[in-house]
Structures are given as C-alpha cells and as structure tokens.
Amino acid sequence: MLQQQPPPDFGQPIAANPEGSTRASAPSDSSTKKEKKARKAVLGRTILTAAHEDMEHIELPSWVAAAPSGFGSAGRGKLTADQWRTVCSINLPITLIRLWGDQSSPSARQKEMLDNFMDLVYAVEIGSLLAVDVAQIQAYDTRILRYLKGIKELYPHFRLRPNFHLAAHIGDFMKLFGPVHSYRTFGAERYNHVLQNIDTSRKHGK
Amino acid sequence: MSYKTLTRAENTVSDMSLCLFHLLTHKQGEIEMTYLTTACRVANLHAILSDFGTGVAPELLSAYKDFKNYDGRGTRIFDSVTLQPSIQLEGAGDPGRGRKEIRITPSAFAAFKSRLNAEAGKTVYVPALQTKQQHQIGLNDRAVLCTKVMVRGVRYQPLSSSSRNCHIIFRDHRDITQERPGQIQEILLHKRRLATGTPMTEETFIVVQTYSPLLDVDIPKDDYRKYGVAGALYYAHFENNVVVIRPEDIVCHFAKTTLPSFPIESPCIHVLPLNRVGCVVWQIVFVLMTHFQLLDGLPEEFLADVESSMDDDSH
C-alpha cells in the first residue's frame, strides 16, 4: 500500500519526487535543467507504481485495449491512442480517486489536481459519445473550459499546446455537425496502424 | 441504387479536420486519399448490400454479417453500423458448434417464469408438467446453452466462456430507470408459446447474478460516486436471487476492479461502466497525453513521441 505524502507547501511550485508523488521544490537561484523539468511533473513513481499494481486487479472486456504493464516508464515505449484512453479514463481515475479522493487524507492541492483531471475525463467521455444532445455539449464546454482554467492555475509553468485550444472548440463542432464519429479521422488512423504492421524489406525498387 | 454521398456538412468538416491535421503535422496531401476513400467506401457498402438484398451472394452476406459484428472499437465500420436499427435489434444467442440442451436451474427458472408472467397480461406461464387451467400455458424448463450473444455489435459471454466479457450493466425490468451491475451466468435459447395455439417462438434470455449495492451507511465513503464518470463501489458478493433479462436489457460492459484497500470494511468491487464506444477525438487525446507528459521520469523526447503519435499512431 502507498503511504500518503506530507502535504506540500502551497506557496511553492509542485515538483516530482523520484521517491514519491509530489513535493514542494526548494527555491534556488541556480535551478538546474533537471529541476526545471522536474517542476513540470505531476505524478511520481509511487503513484505510477500504485497504478501498475491496481492494473493487476482490473478486469476489462476483450474489446478494450488494456494499457501495457509498466506504462509511463520510458522503457515501455509509446502507447497507442486506445491505450492512452484506457490509461486516462480507466486506470488513473481508479488509482487517483483511491489515493486522492478520500477527504480525510489528501492535501488540498492533490484534491484540486484530481478534480482538474476528472474534468478532463468527463469532457473526453462526452466528446466520445456516438449520440449527444445540447445539454451534453454544454456540459462538455463547461468541463473543458474549467479544466483549461485549472491547468493555468495549478501548473503555471506548463506551456499550453495548440491542441488545448482546439479542444475548447469541439463543443462548437458538435453543435454544428453532431457527434464526432462522422468526421473524425480514426478510420484513417486504423489504416495507418494496419500499414505499419505489414512486414517490408525496406528496400525500394528491387 | 442509393449511394450515400457525403453531405455538405460532412465535406466541410472533413476539410476542417484536414486543415487541423496539416497544422499539427505539417504534412500536406498524405491523408486525404486514405481518408476520403475510407469514408466513401464505408458509407456506400451497407447501402449497396441493402439495395441488392437477396441478389447478393449468400457467402458475401455471411461474411459481411461477421464483419459488421466485429467488435473492435474506433473503426468506421463500427461507427457506420452500430446505430442502425437492424443491428440494434440483433441479439440472438449463439450456441456455438455443439448445440447443448440443459435443464434450467430451479432459481433461474423461477426468475424466468416471474419475468414472463410480469409482462404476459392475462396469460400465465406455469411449469410444463403442471395441470393447466384457462389462460395458462406450459413453460418448458429446458433450453439451449449459448456461448455468446451480440448486442449492438458487442459480444457478451457467460462466465464459463469468458471471464472478461461477462461483467455487464443491465436495466432492471422491474424499474427500467435503474441500471445495475451483474455477472452473466448463462445465456439461454428457449422455446415457448406466446399464447395458446400459437407456434413455438424461440427467444434468448440471459441469467444474471447481481452485485449487492452499498448500504446507506457506506455510500458516503464511496469517493468514486462524486465524479459521475468514475463509477461506483458495490459489495463483492451477489444478491440471493438471480435475474433473467433479455439481450436488449444489457446496457454495456463494465470494468471490474477488486482492491483490498477501499475505505469500506466489507469486501468491495469497483464498477466502471463502459457505455461509451471507443471513438477518439484526437485533440482531446492529445490533451490527455500532454497532461501526462508530466509523468515523473519521462524524458524530454516523450513530448516528441506524443506528437509523433499524431502522425503514425493508431488503433
């Protein structure tokens, strides 16, 4: 079982601790590149280890692409889109709510981080539905905007990507054109996957 | 013959999607051919087969039936066919290679009879060997055991056939607003008469054991319920009586997690309904991925790896 980490100093930026989940970084004028990188981290090895342990107890139907064991480590390699979705909408909510959802033990910041992440999960779930109504689109807009505002407040050092902006417009797309399955490019992505799995000699023209 | 052409809205959105794709990948012209070919082929295939009807070779229809029931998510095929009424109505149990007839267990038969009588109106089903009075029909307690049933393109199986595909959320026929988690014990093909003098009708029924819901005293300890999309805890034991449902009562699979550390004294399971299809909005997935580029220990190249997923990752 995981031991809860001591609550961080909320006045300091949160950084990853290789031994634990989060900690407050010590102020230093000569912050190294490693420290800058660490300042961006949200989950530590302890949390990832807990997620890996929880994974052993999750039974998924055969159509769900389960995350590979040891996901999140550099040696495991990159995940497919389906695996990312499984990790973020199944594995991490189960583990994070178990560790951070209990009102009595986690720090206020951990609770805020969890709420922020669950806004994203909620938005993804709505954005992925095959049938949506106006109320669900509004809920999507509310959640994704709250998530984006939360990101700016919780992780001031984090640089937002263009996709964060694009995600805020998916509600407009759903209002105009309906659920995303009629215009998403996942079919093409599947073909890319099929093509990638074809053995080739990698020698052109022979 | 009625080809389904892309609507103006679909074309517009296709163009917008491609613009976004180019913006993100800086690659022009590679995706259009694959995307449009895929979209047009899938949109037309079902219409062509429907229009030709019986004129299509049976082997082709058989192959297409298997193909459209392929339950891989995130495919154009699944998206194209899963909301069609003809697919949704499908739900016949598949006995597999050997057709094995069994005697329904007394508890399942009692639940089965109770279910039928609740919806039969004046007709009352009684055990077949019992003496019948007016408006009473004999109900056989023998049925064919099935290994799977396809519902809306998703495969559901009993525990004896698959420990992964047996966990379901279903609507309780006694209160259709209530959805409950359970485990499929048996899938049965059963024959009966709908009324006296009518021919035998074969129908699929599913015997389910239901997980016990939390008591009121334990519900506040369940942190998962506060998030709406994070599922809920249930006790790890079943209720005493089994429930008999029809395939259309199935809502979805659920992810079952058994952990010893939930803040409730009795053993619990976590139930996470999977009543979504696995379609992916790339922009949202990218946000998911970049959110967790922050994972401790991940190298700088992780982000580049994530971004390359936009180019070549799939599945």
Side-chain angles (χ1 to χ4, degrees):
Chain A
M1 268 305 297
L2 291 171
Q3 300 297 318
Q4 289 294 334
Q5 299 300 310
D9 177 356
F10 302 132
Q12 301 296 333
I14 299 300
N17 180 346
E19 303 302 322
S21 58
T22 57
R23 66 172 172 79
S25 63
S28 169
D29 294 336
S30 60
S31 56
T32 63
K33 191 177 178 182
K34 191 176 178 182
E35 284 173 332
K36 282 181 182 175
K37 197 173 91 175
R39 197 177 293 146
K40 295 193 299 183
V42 172
L43 304 180
R45 292 193 198 285
T46 309
I47 300 258
L48 270 183
T49 304
H52 297 158
E53 289 171 357
D54 287 355
M55 237 180 86
E56 304 295 320
H57 302 280
I58 300 176
E59 293 177 39
L60 295 171
S62 56
W63 56 266
V64 175
S69 58
F71 67 83
S73 59
R76 174 48 65 182
K78 68 179 182 180
L79 307 182
T80 66
D82 258 3
Q83 289 172 333
W84 268 114
R85 185 152 189 256
T86 303
V87 166
C88 294
S89 63
I90 297 176
N91 297 83
L92 287 178
I94 288 172
T95 301
L96 291 180
I97 293 174
R98 181 171 69 79
L99 298 176
W100 293 352
D102 185 5
Q103 308 97 332
S104 57
S105 52
S107 71
R109 181 176 174 85
Q110 285 173 334
K111 188 74 170 54
E112 287 172 4
M113 288 160 65
L114 175 62
D115 290 345
N116 177 249
F117 176 59
M118 290 309 295
D119 278 339
L120 177 60
V121 174
Y122 197 99
V124 170
E125 292 301 317
I126 295 174
S128 302
L129 291 173
L130 277 183
V132 290
D133 57 25
V134 175
Q136 286 169 322
I137 295 171
Q138 287 172 346
Y140 173 86
D141 285 337
T142 305
R143 294 288 182 146
I144 200 72
L145 290 176
R146 201 164 76 186
Y147 165 74
L148 293 172
K149 286 176 185 169
I151 282 279
K152 289 172 70 178
E153 291 167 9
L154 286 167
Y155 316 105
H157 299 282
F158 181 64
R159 185 166 59 90
L160 291 176
R161 312 278 168 188
N163 289 75
F164 285 83
H165 175 85
L166 296 175
H169 285 291
I170 287 173
D172 299 332
F173 278 68
M174 287 194 285
K175 278 178 205 160
L176 288 169
F177 309 119
V180 299
H181 70 272
S182 58
Y183 49 88
R184 67 198 170 107
T185 58
F186 209 84
E189 298 296 334
R190 291 280 295 198
Y191 273 110
N192 285 345
H193 178 72
V194 170
L195 293 173
Q196 284 170 5
N197 286 329
I198 295 174
D199 292 332
T200 65
S201 65
R202 296 182 180 277
K203 292 174 183 174
H204 294 286
K206 283 195 174 179
Chain B
M1 188 162 62
S2 59
Y3 285 91
K4 180 184 180 300
T5 53
L6 291 178
T7 64
R8 187 178 172 188
E10 285 172 329
N11 275 324
T12 305
V13 178
S14 297
D15 292 344
M16 293 172 76
S17 301
L18 292 172
C19 288
L20 294 177
F21 195 87
H22 295 153
L23 181 71
L24 295 167
T25 64
H26 303 295
K27 290 179 183 174
Q28 298 280 342
E30 288 190 355
I31 197 72
E32 286 87 342
M33 187 60 71
T34 311
Y35 179 41
L36 289 178
T37 304
T38 304
C40 292
R41 277 180 180 164
V42 172
N44 288 333
L45 180 60
H46 191 82
I48 291 170
L49 290 177
S50 299
D51 284 354
F52 277 101
T54 54
V56 180
E59 295 83 3
L60 181 58
L61 282 179
S62 173
Y64 179 67
K65 190 177 177 186
D66 293 340
F67 178 57
K68 73 184 179 184
N69 274 333
Y70 167 62
D71 60 349
R73 294 299 182 283
T75 65
R76 290 285 302 179
I77 300 300
F78 182 85
D79 294 346
S80 300
V81 303
T82 194
L83 292 180
Q84 290 179 14
S86 61
I87 304 296
Q88 293 193 46
L89 290 175
E90 283 180 9
D94 181 357
R97 290 180 184 170
R99 199 174 165 89
K100 184 182 176 186
E101 194 172 89
I102 60 157
R103 186 178 295 278
I104 304 173
T105 60
S107 58
F109 187 70
F112 180 41
K113 188 159 62 71
S114 165
R115 164 92 198 233
L116 292 177
N117 285 335
E119 60 195 28
K122 282 184 179 179
T123 306
V124 177
Y125 286 99
V126 295
L129 298 178
Q130 186 176 311
T131 309
K132 293 168 224 30
Q133 299 172 351
Q134 194 180 12
H135 299 305
Q136 287 188 339
I137 300 177
L139 191 66
N140 195 349
D141 66 350
R142 300 191 72 84
V144 175
L145 204 57
C146 297
T147 55
K148 68 176 179 182
V149 63
M150 301 294 294
V151 181
R152 293 180 291 273
V154 180
R155 183 173 58 220
Y156 296 92
Q157 294 178 279
L159 177 64
S160 56
S161 298
S162 169
S163 60
R164 299 179 66 188
N165 292 329
C166 66
H167 306 300
I168 59 164
I169 303 287
F170 65 95
R171 286 188 201 92
D172 193 334
H173 69 277
R174 292 161 295 190
D175 179 6
I176 58 169
T177 60
Q178 202 176 22
E179 295 179 352
R180 312 183 68 187
Q183 188 181 67
I184 298 177
Q185 293 302 301
E186 288 171 337
I187 299 174
L188 304 171
L189 265 177
H190 184 269
K191 281 186 178 176
R192 73 181 196 282
R193 294 185 198 284
L194 296 177
T196 309
T198 57
M200 299 291 271
T201 302
E202 191 173 61
E203 200 175 359
T204 303
F205 289 92
I206 301 168
V207 182
V208 180
Q209 284 190 301
T210 311
Y211 284 102
S212 296
L214 293 187
L215 296 173
D216 289 344
V217 66
D218 283 333
I219 287 177
K221 299 174 189 170
D222 181 4
D223 297 311
Y224 292 93
R225 293 176 190 240
K226 298 165 192 164
Y227 289 97
V229 291
L233 296 182
Y234 283 77
Y235 295 123
H237 56 80
F238 296 115
E239 292 185 337
N240 291 333
N241 298 326
V242 296
V243 177
V244 173
I245 64 171
R246 288 193 169 87
E248 56 263 33
D249 296 327
I250 294 178
V251 177
C252 61
H253 279 122
F254 71 84
K256 176 188 168 188
T257 308
T258 311
L259 290 176
S261 58
F262 290 130
I264 295 173
E265 289 183 5
S266 304
C268 287
I269 62 162
H270 176 254
V271 172
L272 182 63
L274 302 172
N275 58 345
R276 59 191 192 254
V277 293
C279 75
V280 175
V281 185
W282 267 110
Q283 282 70 37
I284 306 180
V285 167
F286 188 82
V287 173
L288 278 173
M289 292 193 271
T290 41
H291 185 107
F292 286 98
Q293 71 164 306
L294 313 171
L295 296 178
D296 177 34
L298 286 179
E300 282 291 330
E301 58 267 25
F302 177 77
L303 183 59
D305 179 37
V306 166
E307 285 170 342
S308 74
S309 298
M310 296 292 295
D311 297 336
D312 57 19
D313 201 4
S314 61
H315 189 64

